[in-house]
Amino acid sequence: MRLLPMRLLHACTLALLAATVPAQAPSPAPSAPPPAPDALAAAKQRLQLSLEKATALRDTAFAAQWGPDSKQGDEADPMVAMILGGPSGKGKASGSWHQDRVHVVFEGDEGDELVLVGRRLLAKDGKSEWRLRGNRFADGNPVGFLPDVPLLLHLLAGWDLAVTQREVGAKDDRPIEILSVTLSSEQVAEAVWSGAVPESLVQSLGGVMAFRMIGGVGGGARPAAPAPNATVDLAIQLDPATSVIHQLHLRSWVEDGAMPGAMGAVRVFRAGAAVRVVGGGGDDDEKDAADDEKEQPEPDANAPLRYEQGLPLRSRKKTSVTDYRIELSQHGQRQAPALDALQQKLLGR
């Protein structure tokens, strides 16, 4: 019998040992170290330059979408949409802005289309011609939220924004930089009250229900509106070579407000099961809320913030999470839609 060569015998021994040792799962990748202060300062300068350049843009297209964050599972629930403000709580639109007008087309079966020229708003849909309207669709329903991208860019360019994180990615085979910002409470209030972002961005289920049931009643002097109580993060995607902004993504985190006293808890049901519990405070309420929250892992409160696509991963426990995302394209190259004879007449031209 021929003896196996020593090299072959050694290889067989290694293979046998590998088969008898159980495979081990790879260790999770460590969190990326926080960027150096100098890198963040340089990123802040690039962001400021990009925002100033964006405010001077005209003839630019946008696509906007707002509503409950998809991970929360409420975006398709009609009850949640009603509580959060009907059409303003969730929406999707595209359009463009130009030197003298803004053109917006809302996604939906109605075929709503709006043109804002100066102080006049023209509206049409799939069943009617152009009509003069005041923050309403052609059929008379309130618009709720009308995206105003130039206004949002103007506000951001005028604020002192602290960059907390930077990432590098790619878009259409070109490198992009993703810069992270958390707005201050004053900036959040200005963004909402100016109409630059949807009001639903700072509303929780409990807070809205409580206000609508018991608030806004009585005479006397009008009290000042309470400032929004929300944490709003912003991720901005830009091309570092051209200082062109491609995307703005705002995400808000609002602690679910409790209903006062005997009002009890507010439950939102889907397919016969409670999926959100707001207010109350009884044992059953806490159990239902805890069962719902088990489905989503919570980040470690003591660990540094981790980011995903420029947005920090915060705790979702008893929290309403809402997104407002804007994609920009055709920077300075989108031709303004021509005004037809009826539009010219309604505008008094």
Side-chain angles (χ1 to χ4, degrees), residues 264-280:
V266 177
R267 285 183 175 86
V268 179
F269 289 86
R270 182 186 299 129
V275 295
R276 296 295 304 279
V277 180
V278 181

Side-chain angles (χ1 to χ4, degrees), residues 37 50 79-80 106 122 194 208 240 244 254-255 278 286 294 344 348:
S50 298
M79 186 66 173
V80 173
F106 283 79
L122 304 181
S194 67
V208 175
V244 169
V254 185
E255 184 178 346
V278 181
E286 293 295 330
K294 284 180 182 178
Q344 296 276 9

Side-chain angles (χ1 to χ4, degrees), residues 44-57 149-161 181 183 187 196 234 236 245 248:
K44 179 178 179 178
Q45 292 181 349
R46 291 193 297 275
L47 175 59
Q48 183 63 36
L49 176 63
S50 298
L51 288 170
E52 290 175 356
K53 184 174 182 177
T55 58
L57 278 175
V149 182
L151 174 59
L152 178 58
L153 292 170
H154 169 75
L155 289 176
L156 293 174
W159 289 338
D160 182 17
L161 300 176
V181 171
L183 300 183
Q187 292 167 349
L234 168 63
I236 303 176
I245 292 177
L248 303 168

Side-chain angles (χ1 to χ4, degrees), residues 225-247:
N229 185 17
T231 298
V232 178
D233 299 311
L234 168 63
I236 303 176
Q237 294 186 9
L238 58 89
D239 185 333
T242 62
S243 300
V244 169
I245 292 177
H246 293 284
Q247 185 189 89

Side-chain angles (χ1 to χ4, degrees), residues 57-61 96-99 329-336:
L57 278 175
R58 302 292 185 271
D59 304 323
T60 301
S96 57
W97 75 89
H98 311 274
Q99 181 65 38
S329 61
Q330 297 179 277
H331 300 73
Q333 299 177 356
R334 178 68 171 263
Q335 187 174 358

Side-chain angles (χ1 to χ4, degrees), residues 87-107:
S88 63
K90 178 176 181 288
K92 192 173 184 180
S94 60
S96 57
W97 75 89
H98 311 274
Q99 181 65 38
D100 64 341
R101 76 194 72 160
V102 177
H103 179 235
V104 183
V105 177
F106 283 79
E107 183 177 282

